[in-house]
Amino acid sequence: MRERGKSGQPSVDERYTQWKSLVPVLYDWLANHNLVWPSLSCRWGPQLEQATYKNRQRLYLSEQTDGSVPNTLVLANCEVVKPRVAAAEHISQFNEEARSPFVKKFKTIIHPGEVNRIRELPQNSKIVATHTDSPDVLIWDVEAQPNRHAVLGAADSRPDLILTGHQDNAEFALAMCPTEPFVLSGGKDKSVVLWSIHDHITASAADTKSPGSGSSSIKSASKASAATDKATDSPSIGPRGIYQGHEDTVEDVQFCPSSAQEFCSVGDDSCLILWDARTGTSPAVKVEKAHNADLHCVDWNPHDENLILTGSADNSVRMFDRRNLTSGGVGSPIYKFEGHKAAVLCVQWSPDKSSVFGSSAEDGFLNIWDYEKVGKKDRVGARMPNSPPGLFFQHAGHRDKVVDFHWNASDPWTIVSVSDDCESTGGGGTLQIWRMSDLIYRPEEEVLAELEKFKSHILSCSSKS
């Protein structure tokens, strides 16, 4: 058990106990799923089925093992309970050590090396890219891949396609383009590399199959089910472009939401770089000092393409306007969001509201921010007098560093998040799927009107009894 920290701060366990007692009040729904092995990435896949009280959706995870069994890419099916369906007592009664009944493993792919990042192709929900501890990006047709049993000595599953072009390991920076089947990666070779899956697709990226063929939508030299085949037998393609301008490892990359030719990258050189493939392979704009430390993550606002978020080892999230990025070579952010107490690992804009984003960090928190609330003195701010400007929700359900999270585009305000619990519990990870109460983010007048109606309903019921 961790002791109470410096300056009288509550310990991790005290903080967690306090959070758990508030779950029925703060959350509309929450599922807690204990992982045997840490997962460094969690992503929503396609929605599979809609029902009255819940929707079934694909979830992509990884298993980062100690070598006693193989590393795997995991496809799970998740039952996402609809808003205002779950009872408060139900969502608060979970066992930290148990698997959630809402998350069921569907398929296991034995991955050649650890899985550091997973990204799905927007144009074809069956196609997934993974980053591993090598220079290559691996492309998988997850529906066509056979289900494997992850035991020691089992041969690796064979990727449907390998993207080559990096000169050194590319482990974390990975993005898929919203408008074209393009893949972007960054690595230790300080390069940003761009590929087009079109360079290898037989049919279009739409789910077109010849009847009864069961063929993958990616050309495969032969069926991936031959377990003895090595990954090197997979077909490979080279890049469309290699972009150089960073002076250290590239940690994250992101496409402009409306363009396959414009993208950005961040790295351990404290730089944020914007690129335009139409004008060559040199930086279009280079922000020399975007933060005071390494940059870990970047995201581009899908609703307002002038806004870019960066997260850093300096514990802050910064928001930049691409029309005004630098002042004398130093980054001039519109705003610095300072609420984390350790390095920020992941930032992502909400697909539902243009001013809302999330940030997760090594401090175990996943913060939800609304930049429209910065500078506004509203009732929420009055209830949280010590909270940083713009912060309106803090998910404290993880007890170790929150390494990844993903907003659900099919289910508004629903988030999947994952923590690597090795330092606090000695192993494993925690996957949580959650949705805050809508009373927290809806317009204040609406919420007050609903509470007033609720109050009058209670009074009328009590007067009848």
Side-chain angles (χ1 to χ4, degrees):
M1 299 285 271
R2 293 188 184 182
E3 297 303 313
R4 185 173 282 271
K6 296 174 196 162
S7 71
Q9 291 293 318
S11 70
V12 171
D13 294 304
E14 288 171 328
R15 188 185 83 187
Y16 178 78
T17 304
Q18 182 186 16
W19 168 81
K20 198 170 177 184
S21 70
L22 294 171
V23 164
V25 181
L26 296 176
Y27 294 86
D28 177 68
W29 182 58
L30 183 136
N32 186 92
H33 188 70
N34 181 48
L35 301 170
V36 176
W37 301 107
S39 177
L40 293 191
S41 197
C42 58
R43 300 291 289 184
W44 291 109
Q47 197 172 68
L48 306 170
E49 185 187 341
Q50 293 191 337
T52 310
Y53 298 111
K54 55 191 178 185
N55 300 323
R56 178 175 295 147
Q57 192 162 350
R58 189 77 84 225
L59 196 57
Y60 302 121
L61 302 165
S62 66
E63 290 180 319
Q64 201 87 350
T65 72
D66 61 0
S68 59
V69 291
N71 290 291
T72 64
L73 171 63
V74 175
L75 281 68
N77 288 339
C78 179
E79 305 284 347
V80 181
V81 174
K82 289 188 175 180
R84 300 205 167 190
V85 168
E89 63 269 11
H90 170 74
I91 63 169
S92 60
Q93 289 172 350
F94 62 83
N95 172 7
E96 283 81 1
E97 308 311 318
R99 311 284 180 89
S100 169
F102 295 100
V103 180
K104 291 191 169 61
K105 193 181 278 193
F106 167 73
K107 185 183 280 190
T108 299
I109 293 167
I110 299 180
H111 198 271
E114 57 194 34
V115 185
N116 297 323
R117 277 285 188 279
I118 307 164
R119 291 292 180 264
E120 63 294 338
L121 187 66
Q123 297 81 24
N124 185 342
S125 57
K126 300 184 305 182
I127 307 300
V128 167
T130 55
H131 247 330
T132 183
D133 43 353
S134 87
D136 299 330
V137 178
L138 307 181
I139 303 290
W140 308 87
D141 182 332
V142 289
E143 296 300 326
Q145 284 284 336
N147 190 16
R148 301 286 305 282
H149 189 47
V151 292
L152 190 62
D156 294 337
S157 297
R158 218 183 70 191
D160 292 274
L161 185 61
I162 297 174
L163 310 184
T164 62
H166 277 295
Q167 301 304 309
D168 200 346
N169 284 4
E171 296 176 344
F172 293 104
L174 184 63
M176 296 284 218
C177 177
T179 58
E180 301 269 346
F182 283 16
V183 182
L184 195 62
S185 164
K188 288 184 175 176
D189 58 2
K190 310 170 191 174
S191 300
V192 173
V193 184
L194 176 70
W195 296 268
S196 169
I197 295 180
H198 261 322
D199 293 346
H200 203 78
I201 287 184
T202 44
S204 71
D207 293 349
T208 50
K209 280 188 178 182
S210 52
S213 72
S215 65
S216 159
S217 53
I218 292 181
K219 252 191 229 166
S220 186
S222 62
K223 284 288 171 215
S225 55
T228 52
D229 285 347
K230 292 191 171 62
T232 50
D233 296 334
S234 300
S236 64
I237 56 168
R240 285 272 179 108
I242 298 177
Y243 302 84
Q244 287 170 330
H246 280 286
E247 283 149 37
D248 207 335
T249 301
V250 180
E251 294 287 357
D252 201 11
V253 288
Q254 194 58 254
F255 281 97
C256 173
S258 65
S259 169
Q261 307 300 323
E262 295 175 83
F263 38 91
C264 62
S265 58
V266 295
D268 291 344
D269 54 3
S270 304
C271 291
L272 162 65
I273 298 182
L274 270 61
W275 311 86
D276 189 333
R278 295 164 299 194
T279 60
T281 57
S282 298
V285 182
K286 184 171 182 177
V287 183
E288 294 281 355
K289 201 169 173 57
H291 282 258
N292 300 323
D294 298 1
L295 272 72
H296 291 154
C297 46
V298 64
D299 198 27
W300 205 314
N301 193 321
H303 306 279
D304 181 347
E305 290 176 10
N306 290 314
L307 300 181
I308 294 171
L309 287 174
T310 55
S312 166
D314 67 7
N315 307 354
S316 76
V317 176
R318 297 188 178 185
M319 184 167 72
F320 292 91
D321 185 326
R322 70 162 163 173
R323 295 165 297 188
N324 179 29
L325 283 170
T326 57
S327 171
V330 176
S332 51
I334 308 173
Y335 199 78
K336 299 176 186 177
F337 298 89
E338 295 175 322
H340 286 292
K341 294 184 170 59
V344 177
L345 300 176
C346 185
V347 289
Q348 198 201 355
W349 290 103
S350 162
D352 304 303
K353 187 162 187 258
S354 61
S355 58
V356 170
F357 65 90
S359 62
S360 69
E362 290 183 358
D363 60 7
F365 287 111
L366 201 170
N367 289 340
I368 307 296
W369 310 79
D370 186 343
Y371 72 76
E372 283 184 352
K373 292 192 190 309
V374 171
K376 286 186 181 175
K377 288 286 179 204
D378 58 7
R379 286 171 187 265
V380 176
R383 281 203 303 273
M384 298 165 60
N386 299 322
S387 67
L391 178 65
F392 74 97
F393 190 82
Q394 193 164 54
H395 178 64
H398 293 285
R399 288 171 288 176
D400 213 323
K401 50 186 179 290
V402 183
V403 289
D404 200 13
F405 72 94
H406 193 201
W407 294 89
N408 191 333
S410 306
D411 225 301
W413 292 91
T414 304
I415 290 175
V416 58
S417 52
V418 70
S419 56
D420 177 346
D421 299 344
C422 286
E423 286 182 27
S424 57
T425 62
T430 302
L431 177 81
Q432 291 181 336
I433 301 142
W434 52 276
R435 184 192 307 118
M436 71 179 84
S437 165
D438 62 10
L439 298 176
I440 294 170
Y441 61 80
R442 278 168 47 208
E444 199 173 304
E445 318 75 62
E446 258 185 50
V447 171
L448 292 174
E450 182 172 329
L451 293 175
E452 197 58 45
K453 201 162 69 177
F454 186 58
K455 177 178 154 190
S456 58
H457 173 69
I458 290 173
L459 291 174
S460 67
C461 289
S462 58
S463 64
K464 287 172 189 167
S465 57

